[in-house]
PDB file of all heavy atoms in Angstrom:
ATOM      1  N   GLU A  12     111.531 156.051 143.119  1.00 30.00           N
ATOM      2  CA  GLU A  12     111.106 155.087 142.126  1.00 30.00           C
ATOM      3  C   GLU A  12     112.222 154.101 141.822  1.00 30.00           C
ATOM      4  O   GLU A  12     113.383 154.482 141.749  1.00 30.00           O
ATOM      5  CB  GLU A  12     110.734 155.833 140.847  1.00 30.00           C
ATOM      6  CG  GLU A  12     109.645 156.858 141.052  1.00 30.00           C
ATOM      7  CD  GLU A  12     108.326 156.425 140.455  1.00 30.00           C
ATOM      8  OE1 GLU A  12     108.331 155.547 139.608  1.00 30.00           O
ATOM      9  OE2 GLU A  12     107.315 156.993 140.867  1.00 30.00           O
ATOM     10  N   VAL A  13     111.839 152.841 141.661  1.00 30.00           N
ATOM     11  CA  VAL A  13     112.806 151.849 141.220  1.00 30.00           C
ATOM     12  C   VAL A  13     113.067 152.066 139.739  1.00 30.00           C
ATOM     13  O   VAL A  13     112.127 152.148 138.945  1.00 30.00           O
ATOM     14  CB  VAL A  13     112.268 150.424 141.449  1.00 30.00           C
ATOM     15  CG1 VAL A  13     113.207 149.388 140.858  1.00 30.00           C
ATOM     16  CG2 VAL A  13     112.081 150.178 142.934  1.00 30.00           C
ATOM     17  N   THR A  14     114.320 152.167 139.353  1.00 35.00           N
ATOM     18  CA  THR A  14     114.618 152.431 137.955  1.00 35.00           C
ATOM     19  C   THR A  14     115.452 151.347 137.288  1.00 35.00           C
ATOM     20  O   THR A  14     115.247 151.051 136.118  1.00 35.00           O
ATOM     21  CB  THR A  14     115.367 153.772 137.811  1.00 35.00           C
ATOM     22  OG1 THR A  14     116.542 153.734 138.624  1.00 35.00           O
ATOM     23  CG2 THR A  14     114.491 154.928 138.245  1.00 35.00           C
ATOM     24  N   GLN A  15     116.378 150.719 138.028  1.00 40.00           N
ATOM     25  CA  GLN A  15     117.292 149.794 137.362  1.00 40.00           C
ATOM     26  C   GLN A  15     117.532 148.499 138.117  1.00 40.00           C
ATOM     27  O   GLN A  15     118.213 147.630 137.611  1.00 40.00           O
ATOM     28  CB  GLN A  15     118.638 150.478 137.116  1.00 40.00           C
ATOM     29  CG  GLN A  15     118.550 151.611 136.104  1.00 40.00           C
ATOM     30  CD  GLN A  15     119.915 152.177 135.765  1.00 40.00           C
ATOM     31  OE1 GLN A  15     120.882 151.992 136.476  1.00 40.00           O
ATOM     32  NE2 GLN A  15     120.000 152.881 134.661  1.00 40.00           N
ATOM     33  N   ASP A  16     116.998 148.344 139.272  1.00 72.00           N
ATOM     34  CA  ASP A  16     117.342 147.156 140.042  1.00 72.00           C
ATOM     35  C   ASP A  16     116.286 146.079 139.894  1.00 72.00           C
ATOM     36  O   ASP A  16     115.221 146.279 139.307  1.00 72.00           O
ATOM     37  CB  ASP A  16     117.533 147.509 141.514  1.00 72.00           C
ATOM     38  CG  ASP A  16     118.527 146.582 142.192  1.00 72.00           C
ATOM     39  OD1 ASP A  16     118.812 145.502 141.642  1.00 72.00           O
ATOM     40  OD2 ASP A  16     119.003 146.931 143.268  1.00 72.00           O
ATOM     41  N   ARG A  17     116.575 144.914 140.450  1.00 90.00           N
ATOM     42  CA  ARG A  17     115.692 143.755 140.340  1.00 90.00           C
ATOM     43  C   ARG A  17     114.513 143.813 141.289  1.00 90.00           C
ATOM     44  O   ARG A  17     113.482 143.193 141.032  1.00 90.00           O
ATOM     45  CB  ARG A  17     116.485 142.479 140.653  1.00 90.00           C
ATOM     46  CG  ARG A  17     117.611 142.207 139.682  1.00 90.00           C
ATOM     47  CD  ARG A  17     117.080 141.602 138.412  1.00 90.00           C
ATOM     48  NE  ARG A  17     118.136 141.432 137.418  1.00 90.00           N
ATOM     49  CZ  ARG A  17     117.929 140.901 136.221  1.00 90.00           C
ATOM     50  NH1 ARG A  17     116.724 140.496 135.870  1.00 90.00           N
ATOM     51  NH2 ARG A  17     118.914 140.794 135.356  1.00 90.00           N
ATOM     52  N   ILE A  18     114.654 144.515 142.404  1.00 95.00           N
ATOM     53  CA  ILE A  18     113.610 144.508 143.428  1.00 95.00           C
ATOM     54  C   ILE A  18     113.444 145.898 144.035  1.00 95.00           C
ATOM     55  O   ILE A  18     114.350 146.731 144.000  1.00 95.00           O
ATOM     56  CB  ILE A  18     113.931 143.515 144.565  1.00 95.00           C
ATOM     57  CG1 ILE A  18     115.257 143.861 145.247  1.00 95.00           C
ATOM     58  CG2 ILE A  18     113.943 142.080 144.033  1.00 95.00           C
ATOM     59  CD1 ILE A  18     115.554 143.038 146.487  1.00 95.00           C
ATOM     60  N   SER A  19     112.257 146.116 144.580  1.00 93.00           N
ATOM     61  CA  SER A  19     112.049 147.189 145.544  1.00 93.00           C
ATOM     62  C   SER A  19     111.495 146.528 146.794  1.00 93.00           C
ATOM     63  O   SER A  19     110.903 145.449 146.731  1.00 93.00           O
ATOM     64  CB  SER A  19     111.069 148.242 145.020  1.00 93.00           C
ATOM     65  OG  SER A  19     109.746 147.744 145.025  1.00 93.00           O
ATOM     66  N   VAL A  20     111.726 147.156 147.925  1.00 94.00           N
ATOM     67  CA  VAL A  20     111.318 146.570 149.189  1.00 94.00           C
ATOM     68  C   VAL A  20     110.663 147.632 150.062  1.00 94.00           C
ATOM     69  O   VAL A  20     111.230 148.698 150.280  1.00 94.00           O
ATOM     70  CB  VAL A  20     112.527 145.961 149.950  1.00 94.00           C
ATOM     71  CG1 VAL A  20     112.041 145.254 151.214  1.00 94.00           C
ATOM     72  CG2 VAL A  20     113.304 144.999 149.064  1.00 94.00           C
ATOM     73  N   VAL A  21     109.474 147.320 150.561  1.00 93.00           N
ATOM     74  CA  VAL A  21     108.801 148.144 151.550  1.00 93.00           C
ATOM     75  C   VAL A  21     108.986 147.487 152.908  1.00 93.00           C
ATOM     76  O   VAL A  21     108.745 146.282 153.055  1.00 93.00           O
ATOM     77  CB  VAL A  21     107.299 148.279 151.234  1.00 93.00           C
ATOM     78  CG1 VAL A  21     106.544 148.872 152.417  1.00 93.00           C
ATOM     79  CG2 VAL A  21     107.091 149.145 150.001  1.00 93.00           C
ATOM     80  N   VAL A  22     109.429 148.234 153.898  1.00 92.00           N
ATOM     81  CA  VAL A  22     109.672 147.700 155.236  1.00 92.00           C
ATOM     82  C   VAL A  22     108.674 148.312 156.212  1.00 92.00           C
ATOM     83  O   VAL A  22     108.494 149.529 156.240  1.00 92.00           O
ATOM     84  CB  VAL A  22     111.115 148.006 155.705  1.00 92.00           C
ATOM     85  CG1 VAL A  22     111.359 147.423 157.099  1.00 92.00           C
ATOM     86  CG2 VAL A  22     112.124 147.461 154.711  1.00 92.00           C
ATOM     87  N   GLU A  23     108.035 147.439 157.002  1.00 92.00           N
ATOM     88  CA  GLU A  23     107.132 147.934 158.036  1.00 92.00           C
ATOM     89  C   GLU A  23     107.081 146.949 159.191  1.00 92.00           C
ATOM     90  O   GLU A  23     107.384 145.769 159.027  1.00 92.00           O
ATOM     91  CB  GLU A  23     105.728 148.160 157.484  1.00 92.00           C
ATOM     92  CG  GLU A  23     105.058 146.940 156.895  1.00 92.00           C
ATOM     93  CD  GLU A  23     103.635 147.251 156.454  1.00 92.00           C
ATOM     94  OE1 GLU A  23     102.727 147.108 157.272  1.00 92.00           O
ATOM     95  OE2 GLU A  23     103.470 147.650 155.290  1.00 92.00           O
ATOM     96  N   GLY A  24     106.709 147.466 160.378  1.00 90.00           N
ATOM     97  CA  GLY A  24     106.623 146.627 161.562  1.00 90.00           C
ATOM     98  C   GLY A  24     107.954 146.498 162.272  1.00 90.00           C
ATOM     99  O   GLY A  24     108.993 146.967 161.804  1.00 90.00           O
ATOM    100  N   THR A  25     107.942 145.852 163.414  1.00 91.00           N
ATOM    101  CA  THR A  25     109.146 145.621 164.205  1.00 91.00           C
ATOM    102  C   THR A  25     109.135 144.196 164.732  1.00 91.00           C
ATOM    103  O   THR A  25     108.084 143.619 164.974  1.00 91.00           O
ATOM    104  CB  THR A  25     109.237 146.597 165.400  1.00 91.00           C
ATOM    105  OG1 THR A  25     108.068 146.447 166.214  1.00 91.00           O
ATOM    106  CG2 THR A  25     109.331 148.037 164.936  1.00 91.00           C
ATOM    107  N   GLY A  26     110.330 143.656 164.903  1.00 94.00           N
ATOM    108  CA  GLY A  26     110.448 142.300 165.424  1.00 94.00           C
ATOM    109  C   GLY A  26     111.291 141.440 164.504  1.00 94.00           C
ATOM    110  O   GLY A  26     112.144 141.935 163.757  1.00 94.00           O
ATOM    111  N   ALA A  27     111.075 140.133 164.568  1.00 96.00           N
ATOM    112  CA  ALA A  27     111.819 139.201 163.736  1.00 96.00           C
ATOM    113  C   ALA A  27     111.540 139.474 162.263  1.00 96.00           C
ATOM    114  O   ALA A  27     110.421 139.823 161.878  1.00 96.00           O
ATOM    115  CB  ALA A  27     111.429 137.768 164.095  1.00 96.00           C
ATOM    116  N   ASP A  28     112.560 139.291 161.441  1.00 96.00           N
ATOM    117  CA  ASP A  28     112.467 139.665 160.029  1.00 96.00           C
ATOM    118  C   ASP A  28     111.784 138.593 159.191  1.00 96.00           C
ATOM    119  O   ASP A  28     112.117 137.406 159.289  1.00 96.00           O
ATOM    120  CB  ASP A  28     113.862 139.927 159.466  1.00 96.00           C
ATOM    121  CG  ASP A  28     114.488 141.194 160.024  1.00 96.00           C
ATOM    122  OD1 ASP A  28     114.034 142.283 159.647  1.00 96.00           O
ATOM    123  OD2 ASP A  28     115.417 141.072 160.845  1.00 96.00           O
ATOM    124  N   VAL A  29     110.849 139.041 158.350  1.00 97.00           N
ATOM    125  CA  VAL A  29     110.154 138.185 157.398  1.00 97.00           C
ATOM    126  C   VAL A  29     110.194 138.869 156.034  1.00 97.00           C
ATOM    127  O   VAL A  29     109.804 140.036 155.918  1.00 97.00           O
ATOM    128  CB  VAL A  29     108.693 137.929 157.814  1.00 97.00           C
ATOM    129  CG1 VAL A  29     107.986 137.069 156.761  1.00 97.00           C
ATOM    130  CG2 VAL A  29     108.623 137.253 159.179  1.00 97.00           C
ATOM    131  N   ILE A  30     110.668 138.162 155.025  1.00 97.00           N
ATOM    132  CA  ILE A  30     110.723 138.686 153.663  1.00 97.00           C
ATOM    133  C   ILE A  30     109.652 137.988 152.837  1.00 97.00           C
ATOM    134  O   ILE A  30     109.608 136.754 152.781  1.00 97.00           O
ATOM    135  CB  ILE A  30     112.112 138.466 153.046  1.00 97.00           C
ATOM    136  CG1 ILE A  30     113.173 139.227 153.859  1.00 97.00           C
ATOM    137  CG2 ILE A  30     112.138 138.902 151.585  1.00 97.00           C
ATOM    138  CD1 ILE A  30     114.603 138.978 153.407  1.00 97.00           C
ATOM    139  N   LEU A  31     108.761 138.772 152.207  1.00 98.00           N
ATOM    140  CA  LEU A  31     107.649 138.218 151.444  1.00 98.00           C
ATOM    141  C   LEU A  31     107.827 138.522 149.960  1.00 98.00           C
ATOM    142  O   LEU A  31     108.028 139.678 149.576  1.00 98.00           O
ATOM    143  CB  LEU A  31     106.321 138.793 151.945  1.00 98.00           C
ATOM    144  CG  LEU A  31     105.999 138.480 153.413  1.00 98.00           C
ATOM    145  CD1 LEU A  31     106.234 139.728 154.267  1.00 98.00           C
ATOM    146  CD2 LEU A  31     104.576 137.996 153.582  1.00 98.00           C
ATOM    147  N   ILE A  32     107.726 137.482 149.131  1.00 98.00           N
ATOM    148  CA  ILE A  32     107.984 137.599 147.696  1.00 98.00           C
ATOM    149  C   ILE A  32     106.737 137.170 146.926  1.00 98.00           C
ATOM    150  O   ILE A  32     106.323 136.008 147.013  1.00 98.00           O
ATOM    151  CB  ILE A  32     109.166 136.708 147.270  1.00 98.00           C
ATOM    152  CG1 ILE A  32     110.360 136.897 148.217  1.00 98.00           C
ATOM    153  CG2 ILE A  32     109.569 137.011 145.830  1.00 98.00           C
ATOM    154  CD1 ILE A  32     111.427 135.831 148.064  1.00 98.00           C
ATOM    155  N   PRO A  33     106.111 138.066 146.168  1.00 98.00           N
ATOM    156  CA  PRO A  33     104.937 137.680 145.370  1.00 98.00           C
ATOM    157  C   PRO A  33     105.337 136.889 144.141  1.00 98.00           C
ATOM    158  O   PRO A  33     106.529 136.763 143.808  1.00 98.00           O
ATOM    159  CB  PRO A  33     104.326 139.030 144.993  1.00 98.00           C
ATOM    160  CG  PRO A  33     105.498 139.958 144.952  1.00 98.00           C
ATOM    161  CD  PRO A  33     106.464 139.470 146.001  1.00 98.00           C
ATOM    162  N   GLY A  34     104.339 136.368 143.435  1.00 97.00           N
ATOM    163  CA  GLY A  34     104.594 135.522 142.283  1.00 97.00           C
ATOM    164  C   GLY A  34     104.595 136.275 140.974  1.00 97.00           C
ATOM    165  O   GLY A  34     104.698 137.508 140.916  1.00 97.00           O
ATOM    166  N   LEU A  35     104.458 135.517 139.913  1.00 97.00           N
ATOM    167  CA  LEU A  35     104.532 136.038 138.554  1.00 97.00           C
ATOM    168  C   LEU A  35     103.465 137.086 138.299  1.00 97.00           C
ATOM    169  O   LEU A  35     102.278 136.864 138.557  1.00 97.00           O
ATOM    170  CB  LEU A  35     104.365 134.897 137.557  1.00 97.00           C
ATOM    171  CG  LEU A  35     104.504 135.239 136.088  1.00 97.00           C
ATOM    172  CD1 LEU A  35     105.950 135.519 135.725  1.00 97.00           C
ATOM    173  CD2 LEU A  35     103.958 134.113 135.227  1.00 97.00           C
ATOM    174  N   ALA A  36     103.882 138.247 137.809  1.00 97.00           N
ATOM    175  CA  ALA A  36     102.971 139.332 137.438  1.00 97.00           C
ATOM    176  C   ALA A  36     102.090 139.769 138.591  1.00 97.00           C
ATOM    177  O   ALA A  36     101.003 140.295 138.387  1.00 97.00           O
ATOM    178  CB  ALA A  36     102.111 138.914 136.238  1.00 97.00           C
ATOM    179  N   SER A  37     102.562 139.577 139.809  1.00 97.00           N
ATOM    180  CA  SER A  37     101.780 139.908 141.000  1.00 97.00           C
ATOM    181  C   SER A  37     102.384 141.086 141.746  1.00 97.00           C
ATOM    182  O   SER A  37     103.583 141.336 141.684  1.00 97.00           O
ATOM    183  CB  SER A  37     101.698 138.708 141.944  1.00 97.00           C
ATOM    184  OG  SER A  37     100.923 137.678 141.398  1.00 97.00           O
ATOM    185  N   SER A  38     101.521 141.757 142.498  1.00 96.00           N
ATOM    186  CA  SER A  38     101.924 142.860 143.359  1.00 96.00           C
ATOM    187  C   SER A  38     102.140 142.361 144.775  1.00 96.00           C
ATOM    188  O   SER A  38     101.587 141.341 145.190  1.00 96.00           O
ATOM    189  CB  SER A  38     100.830 143.932 143.347  1.00 96.00           C
ATOM    190  OG  SER A  38     100.973 144.816 144.436  1.00 96.00           O
ATOM    191  N   ARG A  39     102.924 143.093 145.551  1.00 96.00           N
ATOM    192  CA  ARG A  39     103.083 142.762 146.968  1.00 96.00           C
ATOM    193  C   ARG A  39     101.778 142.884 147.745  1.00 96.00           C
ATOM    194  O   ARG A  39     101.675 142.426 148.873  1.00 96.00           O
ATOM    195  CB  ARG A  39     104.174 143.621 147.597  1.00 96.00           C
ATOM    196  CG  ARG A  39     103.951 145.102 147.480  1.00 96.00           C
ATOM    197  CD  ARG A  39     105.085 145.887 148.166  1.00 96.00           C
ATOM    198  NE  ARG A  39     105.421 147.058 147.388  1.00 96.00           N
ATOM    199  CZ  ARG A  39     106.634 147.330 146.932  1.00 96.00           C
ATOM    200  NH1 ARG A  39     107.633 146.521 147.193  1.00 96.00           N
ATOM    201  NH2 ARG A  39     106.869 148.393 146.206  1.00 96.00           N
ATOM    202  N   GLU A  40     100.769 143.497 147.145  1.00 96.00           N
ATOM    203  CA  GLU A  40      99.486 143.649 147.828  1.00 96.00           C
ATOM    204  C   GLU A  40      98.799 142.318 148.115  1.00 96.00           C
ATOM    205  O   GLU A  40      97.888 142.254 148.935  1.00 96.00           O
ATOM    206  CB  GLU A  40      98.561 144.538 146.992  1.00 96.00           C
ATOM    207  CG  GLU A  40      99.029 145.981 146.897  1.00 96.00           C
ATOM    208  CD  GLU A  40      98.155 146.826 145.981  1.00 96.00           C
ATOM    209  OE1 GLU A  40      97.160 146.273 145.468  1.00 96.00           O
ATOM    210  OE2 GLU A  40      98.467 148.007 145.789  1.00 96.00           O
ATOM    211  N   ILE A  41      99.234 141.245 147.460  1.00 97.00           N
ATOM    212  CA  ILE A  41      98.617 139.947 147.750  1.00 97.00           C
ATOM    213  C   ILE A  41      98.842 139.524 149.195  1.00 97.00           C
ATOM    214  O   ILE A  41      98.111 138.684 149.723  1.00 97.00           O
ATOM    215  CB  ILE A  41      99.127 138.839 146.818  1.00 97.00           C
ATOM    216  CG1 ILE A  41     100.618 138.571 147.041  1.00 97.00           C
ATOM    217  CG2 ILE A  41      98.841 139.171 145.353  1.00 97.00           C
ATOM    218  CD1 ILE A  41     101.108 137.284 146.425  1.00 97.00           C
ATOM    219  N   TRP A  42      99.837 140.116 149.863  1.00 98.00           N
ATOM    220  CA  TRP A  42     100.168 139.742 151.238  1.00 98.00           C
ATOM    221  C   TRP A  42      99.424 140.584 152.266  1.00 98.00           C
ATOM    222  O   TRP A  42      99.690 140.446 153.474  1.00 98.00           O
ATOM    223  CB  TRP A  42     101.666 139.893 151.480  1.00 98.00           C
ATOM    224  CG  TRP A  42     102.551 139.111 150.577  1.00 98.00           C
ATOM    225  CD1 TRP A  42     103.465 139.583 149.680  1.00 98.00           C
ATOM    226  CD2 TRP A  42     102.641 137.681 150.483  1.00 98.00           C
ATOM    227  NE1 TRP A  42     104.110 138.557 149.043  1.00 98.00           N
ATOM    228  CE2 TRP A  42     103.630 137.372 149.510  1.00 98.00           C
ATOM    229  CE3 TRP A  42     101.981 136.624 151.130  1.00 98.00           C
ATOM    230  CZ2 TRP A  42     103.972 136.063 149.173  1.00 98.00           C
ATOM    231  CZ3 TRP A  42     102.314 135.324 150.783  1.00 98.00           C
ATOM    232  CH2 TRP A  42     103.292 135.050 149.832  1.00 98.00           C
ATOM    233  N   ALA A  43      98.520 141.458 151.852  1.00 96.00           N
ATOM    234  CA  ALA A  43      97.905 142.413 152.782  1.00 96.00           C
ATOM    235  C   ALA A  43      97.274 141.726 153.992  1.00 96.00           C
ATOM    236  O   ALA A  43      97.423 142.187 155.125  1.00 96.00           O
ATOM    237  CB  ALA A  43      96.862 143.256 152.043  1.00 96.00           C
ATOM    238  N   GLY A  44      96.549 140.621 153.771  1.00 96.00           N
ATOM    239  CA  GLY A  44      95.914 139.931 154.888  1.00 96.00           C
ATOM    240  C   GLY A  44      96.931 139.380 155.865  1.00 96.00           C
ATOM    241  O   GLY A  44      96.773 139.513 157.090  1.00 96.00           O
ATOM    242  N   LEU A  45      97.985 138.756 155.364  1.00 97.00           N
ATOM    243  CA  LEU A  45      99.023 138.217 156.238  1.00 97.00           C
ATOM    244  C   LEU A  45      99.776 139.331 156.948  1.00 97.00           C
ATOM    245  O   LEU A  45     100.108 139.210 158.136  1.00 97.00           O
ATOM    246  CB  LEU A  45      99.987 137.367 155.417  1.00 97.00           C
ATOM    247  CG  LEU A  45     101.120 136.689 156.182  1.00 97.00           C
ATOM    248  CD1 LEU A  45     100.571 135.736 157.235  1.00 97.00           C
ATOM    249  CD2 LEU A  45     102.054 135.957 155.218  1.00 97.00           C
ATOM    250  N   VAL A  46     100.031 140.418 156.244  1.00 96.00           N
ATOM    251  CA  VAL A  46     100.732 141.554 156.843  1.00 96.00           C
ATOM    252  C   VAL A  46      99.979 142.076 158.062  1.00 96.00           C
ATOM    253  O   VAL A  46     100.570 142.397 159.095  1.00 96.00           O
ATOM    254  CB  VAL A  46     100.926 142.676 155.804  1.00 96.00           C
ATOM    255  CG1 VAL A  46     101.333 143.984 156.477  1.00 96.00           C
ATOM    256  CG2 VAL A  46     101.981 142.267 154.779  1.00 96.00           C
ATOM    257  N   SER A  47      98.659 142.145 157.971  1.00 95.00           N
ATOM    258  CA  SER A  47      97.856 142.642 159.096  1.00 95.00           C
ATOM    259  C   SER A  47      98.001 141.759 160.329  1.00 95.00           C
ATOM    260  O   SER A  47      97.840 142.228 161.449  1.00 95.00           O
ATOM    261  CB  SER A  47      96.389 142.747 158.688  1.00 95.00           C
ATOM    262  OG  SER A  47      95.820 141.459 158.485  1.00 95.00           O
ATOM    263  N   LYS A  48      98.330 140.471 160.116  1.00 94.00           N
ATOM    264  CA  LYS A  48      98.504 139.547 161.239  1.00 94.00           C
ATOM    265  C   LYS A  48      99.914 139.610 161.819  1.00 94.00           C
ATOM    266  O   LYS A  48     100.115 139.385 163.017  1.00 94.00           O
ATOM    267  CB  LYS A  48      98.239 138.115 160.772  1.00 94.00           C
ATOM    268  CG  LYS A  48      96.884 137.876 160.142  1.00 94.00           C
ATOM    269  CD  LYS A  48      95.787 137.823 161.169  1.00 94.00           C
ATOM    270  CE  LYS A  48      94.468 137.406 160.516  1.00 94.00           C
ATOM    271  NZ  LYS A  48      93.365 137.368 161.515  1.00 94.00           N
ATOM    272  N   LEU A  49     100.902 139.902 160.978  1.00 96.00           N
ATOM    273  CA  LEU A  49     102.291 139.770 161.390  1.00 96.00           C
ATOM    274  C   LEU A  49     102.960 141.072 161.808  1.00 96.00           C
ATOM    275  O   LEU A  49     103.967 141.038 162.521  1.00 96.00           O
ATOM    276  CB  LEU A  49     103.114 139.141 160.257  1.00 96.00           C
ATOM    277  CG  LEU A  49     102.775 137.713 159.833  1.00 96.00           C
ATOM    278  CD1 LEU A  49     103.722 137.263 158.726  1.00 96.00           C
ATOM    279  CD2 LEU A  49     102.835 136.755 161.003  1.00 96.00           C
TER     280      LEU A  49
END
């Protein structure tokens, strides 16, 4: 569990690195469609 830091990061897939940042009051789940493509 994240307890004191500014971010948590889930890493999946292999290849060139892409970092995805959601917006205000949003979950990383907003990227699910793009994640399935990349």
Side-chain angles (χ1 to χ4, degrees):
E12 302 253 341
V13 174
T14 56
Q15 293 186 342
D16 209 343
R17 297 281 175 179
I18 59 173
S19 73
V20 185
V21 167
V22 181
E23 59 176 271
T25 58
D28 290 288
V29 178
I30 298 175
L31 299 105
I32 312 166
L35 184 72
S37 291
S38 163
R39 57 179 141 236
E40 293 176 3
I41 65 165
W42 302 117
L45 182 60
V46 166
S47 69
K48 304 285 187 181
L49 296 181

